[in-house]
Amino acid sequence: MTLQPPPLRNDCFALPPGVDWTPVDQALSLLRDRLHPVVARQEVPLMQAAGRVLAGDLVARRSNPPQANTAVDGYGFAAASIAGQDTVALPLVDGRAAAGVAYDGKVPPGHAIRVLTGAALPKGVDTVVLDEDCATGEGQVAFRGPVKPGSNTRRAGEDIVAGTQILHAGRVLTPADLALAAATGLNDLPVFAPLRVGVLSTGDEIVPAGAPAGPGQIYDANRPMLLGLIDRFGHLPVDLGHVRDDRAALRARLDSAPVDVILTSGGASAGDEDHVSALLRETGALTAWRIALKPGRPLVLGLWEGKPVFGLPGNPVAAFVCTLVFARPALGLLAGAGWEEPQAFEVPAAFSKNKKPGRREYLRARIRDGRAEVFKSEGSGRISGLSWAEGLVELPDHAMLVEPGTPVRYLPFGSFGL
Ligand code: AMP
Ligand code: MG
């Protein structure tokens, strides 16, 4: 069964009238309100489901564990039959219970049976003593009491009871989730189809990595970076290549793109050669968001044939930050995974900065000796700083005086799934 969600509304990126510089939080909440999953549902066997997004709640078909069983190798018996005894000696019944090989008989009161880890508890057994605490011989097992009833056993369903919800729609399935689903009797899982994210570079000066480049030409750094980010976010990266600053070429590339959403970089300003914004404006479904963020302007959001287009800045650092801060949560929503806030940590700064009011700032940062240090330059063309960094320091919209030791918000790249 393939269920296709409705298209996005044409005005989904419109800003309220009068808005000029949009604060980051407002921009994020607009995205959050207006985007919804655009991917179809499908079923996959759980062997292929790691990293996929659940499209429905999962209900345990079976309890875990399905039966009461022993947690150790040892001897099982009924606790009531040795109540109050300090030293215990019980005759052993013939046979044993092992994992997957049940003991069919009933163990009479006052008797014990050899049990191995994982074995279902035989009838008449509710308690187990560990091998190491036992002496055996002459058909008997001896150990010291008192023994707590139920010791060294696992109750049926003590982890999960059949019929309970184990995971909710929107969950990005972890390896541990697959263990849980398998243990509770599930195999075919409802998931969303992977979100296909196209990545397109624009600009007359841009040449692909490895090609001969003349003076004044720039290697396409954004495309491999963005494709790699998409992959790490768990979506399907689709390389849409590079187009020159030519509106017809750009239009043709967007038209034929076999994707659900498009990330472009470059050409997003309002200049003569900024064809991404010009083209999207022609379709009437463009909002050039001037977000109060550094680095990261301009960011253009639009729809092309109903597909969201994120027009990222050309500068690699700005493109990277905008992708993490804006595109990532939006892509998560489009992919059915819901809106995810990156986990942030408050850490003391290892740097000084007199931050001006008016826009939020993201600094390339990393933690050393428990303090956040920042890259030596804030220049948004400094690609080496992205490579140096292991996270971002987020400074608030308002002014802030940072001195060594001042608590700052640190977002490790791991919080963005990198
Ligand atoms: P634009 O937004 O097109 O004016 O580009 C802003 C800056 O980013 C310019 O210096 C571009 O050369 C640079 N730039 C644009 N696209 C890329 C790219 N794919 N890789 C590296 N730099 C780029
Ligand atoms: Mg350009």
Side-chain angles (χ1 to χ4, degrees):
M1 181 193 64
T2 305
L3 191 61
Q4 203 63 43
L8 295 168
R9 289 165 52 98
N10 206 37
D11 63 351
C12 73
F13 295 132
L15 287 173
V19 168
D20 185 12
W21 285 98
T22 311
V24 171
D25 285 338
Q26 189 184 344
L28 288 174
S29 64
L30 282 172
L31 285 177
R32 184 177 188 161
D33 286 350
R34 293 172 190 185
L35 296 177
H36 61 71
V38 296
V39 279
R41 289 156 184 262
Q42 53 185 203
E43 274 203 350
V44 293
L46 61 80
M47 283 298 203
Q48 289 154 33
R52 301 294 297 273
V53 182
L54 265 188
D57 297 339
L58 294 189
V59 174
R61 209 169 267 171
R62 194 185 205 217
S63 295
N64 182 52
Q67 295 174 290
N69 65 84
T70 171
V72 298
D73 289 351
Y75 296 86
F77 51 90
S81 64
I82 62 153
Q85 297 179 38
D86 282 346
T87 49
V88 186
L90 299 176
L92 284 168
V93 300
D94 285 337
R96 60 174 207 174
V101 190
Y103 178 77
D104 286 336
K106 179 177 188 312
V107 177
H111 287 65
I113 183 173
R114 175 73 175 145
V115 293
L116 299 177
T117 305
L121 296 185
K123 285 195 195 72
V125 171
D126 59 18
T127 302
V128 173
V129 280
L130 197 61
D131 261 354
E132 289 86 324
D133 297 333
C134 293
T136 53
E138 295 168 15
Q140 292 213 328
V141 60
F143 52 89
R144 288 191 182 284
V147 177
K148 213 172 122 205
S151 291
N152 297 311
T153 66
R154 309 167 177 140
R155 281 176 293 108
E158 70 174 18
D159 181 27
I160 296 287
V161 175
T164 49
Q165 266 191 21
I166 50 169
L167 294 167
H168 296 279
R171 170 88 174 179
V172 180
L173 290 164
T174 66
D177 295 341
L178 301 185
L180 178 60
T184 52
L186 303 176
N187 184 38
D188 291 325
L189 307 183
V191 296
F192 286 111
L195 185 74
R196 298 164 305 166
V197 186
V199 173
L200 176 66
S201 294
T202 69
D204 285 344
E205 78 283 26
I206 302 299
V207 293
Q217 291 193 302
I218 300 280
Y219 280 119
D220 187 350
N222 288 343
R223 196 148 46 98
M225 174 179 79
L226 295 171
L227 288 167
L229 287 172
I230 300 307
D231 183 53
R232 291 290 183 93
F233 296 162
H235 310 304
L236 200 68
V238 180
D239 185 358
L240 299 179
H242 158 251
V243 288
R244 299 178 64 86
D245 288 318
D246 174 288
R247 210 165 300 180
L250 181 60
R251 179 194 295 273
R253 198 67 63 91
L254 293 181
D255 269 346
S256 57
V259 296
D260 303 305
V261 47
I262 298 169
L263 304 188
T264 66
S265 69
S269 301
D272 293 347
E273 293 301 333
D274 290 317
H275 295 283
V276 173
S277 26
L279 189 60
L280 290 172
R281 193 172 295 114
E282 277 177 18
T283 71
L286 166 115
T287 304
W289 287 22
R290 299 214 298 160
I291 297 171
L293 154 97
K294 181 186 170 187
R297 349 182 266 251
L299 176 66
V300 161
L301 290 168
L303 285 184
W304 187 261
E305 297 171 330
K307 291 171 192 165
V309 179
F310 287 78
L312 301 165
N315 276 310
V317 176
F320 185 91
V321 168
C322 274
T323 301
L324 261 49
V325 175
F326 292 101
R328 178 180 167 274
L331 294 176
L333 212 52
L334 294 167
W339 188 267
E340 238 195 299
E341 308 268 351
Q343 193 171 19
F345 300 89
E346 232 181 46
V347 295
F351 61 96
S352 306
K353 183 179 166 71
N354 186 4
K355 188 204 161 283
K356 308 271 182 300
R359 56 183 177 160
R360 192 166 299 183
E361 286 191 28
Y362 292 90
L363 308 176
R364 282 151 280 176
R366 62 187 195 183
I367 303 288
R368 290 292 180 272
D369 298 326
R371 289 145 68 97
E373 54 182 48
V374 295
F375 191 57
K376 59 183 188 241
S377 160
E378 291 183 17
S380 73
R382 299 273 195 120
I383 300 175
S384 67
L386 282 179
S387 215
W388 173 93
E390 294 163 7
L392 299 172
V393 159
E394 182 186 73
L395 298 177
D397 300 358
H398 55 78
M400 181 177 180
L401 184 64
V402 180
E403 282 163 345
T406 306
V408 291
R409 234 170 107 78
Y410 178 70
L411 301 155
F413 286 154
S415 288
F416 299 98
L418 304 186

